[in-house]
Amino acid sequence: RRSTTRRTVSSTRPEPATGDGLSSSRVRLRSVRSSDVDWLYDLLTRTSGSRWRYRGRTPPPGEFQADLWRGVLSQFVVTDPADRPVGLVGAYNANTTAGHCHVFAIGATDQGRLITEATARFTDWLFESFEFHKLWIETAEFNLRQFASLTELATVEEKMVR
């Protein structure tokens, strides 16, 4: 008799990940803390490109805090070796039945290399922790060069929207 285990997505905040797979000598991924909310609000509303969830508008701080985990499977604050926050990576719109989700990565100015490394570690963690076979990473054209190292690993570009 064959049995299968299906992982379901809870509507509550997921437990923080543990293990060395989410850190290196250059970058660390840690759980989002309540003390991060003001910094995240600044990071995610500073430019219109980061306000994708709100279709370009800047949400009031209370709405932002209430929405921080809406539709998000997991997210981590990216920190540098001195434990200063430099970005946020996360997975949203997870469809565990179909085996895929969307991935986002947003970083502070001039932190592209750390964010790219954090995104690579995060995607590895997603594949190891969930039964995903596909991750959707959408990025603007000006970020393609930064993510080139990720696309060389094991990705297939399915479509480019111009």
Side-chain angles (χ1 to χ4, degrees), residues 30-41 65 77 85:
R30 66 164 172 76
S31 298
V32 176
R33 302 174 184 154
S34 59
S35 60
D36 293 321
V37 173
D38 290 340
W39 184 83
L40 289 171
Y41 180 79
Q65 186 169 2
V77 171

Side-chain angles (χ1 to χ4, degrees), residues 111-124:
Q111 298 298 327
R113 290 184 181 186
L114 289 178
I115 301 306
T116 301
E117 181 177 342
T119 304
R121 291 185 173 282
F122 181 63
T123 56
D124 286 344

Side-chain angles (χ1 to χ4, degrees), residues 91-142:
Y92 64 101
N93 288 348
N95 184 333
T96 55
T97 303
H100 62 78
C101 72
H102 288 78
V103 173
F104 67 86
I106 301 167
T109 306
D110 300 327
Q111 298 298 327
R113 290 184 181 186
L114 289 178
I115 301 306
T116 301
E117 181 177 342
T119 304
R121 291 185 173 282
F122 181 63
T123 56
D124 286 344
W125 177 82
L126 285 169
F127 281 122
E128 292 168 8
S129 301
F130 301 94
E131 295 178 11
F132 291 136
H133 61 85
K134 184 183 287 191
L135 302 177
W136 300 98
I137 301 175
E138 299 173 74
T139 185
E141 184 177 347
F142 61 84

